[in-house]
Amino acid sequence: MTTIREELQREGDEILLDVLAETATIAKERIIKHKDLSVENVIPLLLLSQYNHIAHLDIELKQGLANLEQKMDERFEKIGQVMDERFEKMGQMMDTRFEKVDERFVDVYKSISVIHSQISNQTKWMFGIGVGIVAILSGLMTFLKFG
């Protein structure tokens, strides 16, 4: 879709080219028929030649930009594929590491559970021994008082 400005520019270029082509044709005839190689006859031919040259360069530039855009799209697509592969590998590697960390947490939890169980058993024994010693001592004191 073209804008109004682009449409007016295109129409203006067409009118200018038509006038320039007509003037160049007249100048070419004067040069050929009358051998009149004056500035007035050469300028329209030079302008038309330059216009055609610029139009040709414009076409080449557009083709070059289209090719460049296509190559850039292809490269970005390849880069995207490489990045996807790397992120996938990194994700797998991270999953493996998290699994190892989980295993270590489980091992640490088991170790702490064993230590907790041992401390709990030792505490029970110490409490039992303490109560036993107190009972024996109070029995001895009672025996010695009455004895």
Side-chain angles (χ1 to χ4, degrees), residues 17-74:
L17 183 59
D18 289 343
V19 170
L20 187 57
E22 185 179 325
T23 307
T25 303
I26 294 169
K28 185 177 177 183
E29 288 175 8
R30 285 182 189 159
I31 291 172
I32 291 172
K33 288 181 182 177
H34 304 293
K35 307 291 184 212
D36 184 12
L37 197 59
S38 65
V39 173
E40 292 84 21
N41 291 332
V42 172
I43 288 178
L45 293 172
L46 287 174
L47 287 174
L48 184 61
S49 171
Q50 289 303 309
Y51 183 88
N52 289 334
H53 183 65
I54 290 170
H56 177 73
L57 290 176
D58 188 44
I59 291 170
E60 284 184 12
L61 179 63
K62 286 178 183 174
Q63 289 173 347
L65 289 174
N67 291 340
L68 178 63
E69 183 178 1
Q70 180 182 1
K71 286 180 183 179
M72 293 296 286
D73 287 344
E74 290 171 1

Side-chain angles (χ1 to χ4, degrees), residues 119-138:
I119 290 173
S120 181
N121 286 338
Q122 288 177 358
T123 303
K124 289 176 188 174
W125 275 100
M126 293 174 112
F127 182 73
I129 291 172
V131 169
I133 290 174
V134 168
I136 292 173
L137 286 176
S138 61

Side-chain angles (χ1 to χ4, degrees), residues 10 28 88 90 99 108 121 125 133:
R10 187 183 60 77
K28 185 177 177 183
E88 187 175 327
M90 186 181 294
E99 288 173 7
V108 168
N121 286 338
W125 275 100
I133 290 174

